[in-house]
Amino acid sequence: MADLFSRFLQAFIPLFVAIDPVGLAAIFLGLGQGVAAERRQKIARQATLTGGGVALLFLFLGASIFRALGISVTDFQVAGGLILFMLAARDLVQSGGEPEKLSDDFGVVPLGMPLIAGPALIATLLLLTQTHGMPLTLAALVVNLVLVVLAFAYSDILARRIGATGLRAISKIISMLLAAIAVAMVRQGLKG
């Protein structure tokens, strides 16, 4: 039982870092300023369903899609790692200014994709499926998506408790971990 829990954590933690529910809550709050609470919850559902759907597509069909395109998982690891590193580095050096304002319908893009289901999550899912198997990776993904739902649902409370500065600090720490995961993905892809 302890071994199963340990393996679950080995699948859960990289997905948690790739998805970053706390950072998503901060982004959701920033993008949703001025949007009615009822509408924000609809956008949160839309984002989670979009991100979850894309993640499940790549979890179950990712290897087949890559074969059809002539891409290997290692190719995607290197490309995803480089893109992920650039995103993490940009977030780390970006000032704490006002986030870009979007339309009221921002659940699919950018929240659902690429923020929930972006290159980091897709590459991580493919790698975890190879190393830990489909059932364990699926369980870790589902738990992470539940955390996203909770982060969106309680984002107002989270913002009041942690504060804007606290949310930014947590997001920066997660970006640093994301950069480290990106470097590991590139290294593993090059070894591949």
Side-chain angles (χ1 to χ4, degrees):
M1 189 67 163
D3 181 53
L4 180 63
F5 183 70
S6 174
R7 288 181 49 231
F8 173 79
L9 283 179
Q10 290 172 358
F12 171 81
I13 291 170
L15 291 175
F16 180 82
V17 172
I19 295 173
D20 181 12
V22 176
L24 282 173
I27 293 168
F28 178 65
L29 284 170
L31 295 176
Q33 289 177 353
V35 177
E38 211 174 276
R39 179 81 179 130
R40 270 200 331 247
Q41 290 311 311
K42 181 180 178 195
I43 289 169
R45 275 192 308 277
Q46 188 181 48
T48 307
L49 289 173
T50 300
V54 170
L56 289 172
L57 174 76
F58 275 93
L59 180 64
F60 292 114
L61 299 175
S64 300
I65 292 170
F66 284 5
R67 270 194 305 277
L69 295 173
I71 299 171
S72 71
V73 173
T74 56
D75 295 335
F76 193 77
Q77 280 180 298
V78 171
L82 291 173
I83 291 168
L84 179 59
F85 184 81
M86 290 187 305
L87 292 172
R90 186 186 72 198
D91 186 55
L92 284 168
V93 298
Q94 178 181 2
S95 69
E98 189 74 20
E100 180 182 330
K101 266 305 204 189
L102 299 175
S103 71
D104 284 353
D105 195 15
F106 55 87
V108 175
V109 176
L111 275 181
M113 194 175 139
L115 291 176
I116 294 175
L121 178 63
I122 293 168
T124 304
L125 283 171
L126 293 173
L127 181 64
L128 290 173
T129 301
Q130 288 181 343
T131 57
H132 294 290
M134 180 75 67
L136 203 59
T137 304
L138 178 61
L141 174 64
V142 168
V143 171
N144 272 289
L145 289 174
V146 167
L147 291 176
V148 169
V149 168
L150 293 173
F152 286 161
Y154 296 104
S155 59
D156 290 332
I157 295 169
L158 184 66
R160 282 194 301 273
R161 293 223 189 255
I162 298 175
T165 303
L167 285 172
R168 278 196 304 275
I170 290 170
S171 183
K172 296 293 180 188
I173 291 167
I174 291 189
S175 291
M176 188 66 171
L177 292 171
L178 211 50
I181 287 174
V183 169
M185 284 171 57
V186 170
R187 182 174 32 83
Q188 290 169 354
L190 292 175
K191 279 184 187 176

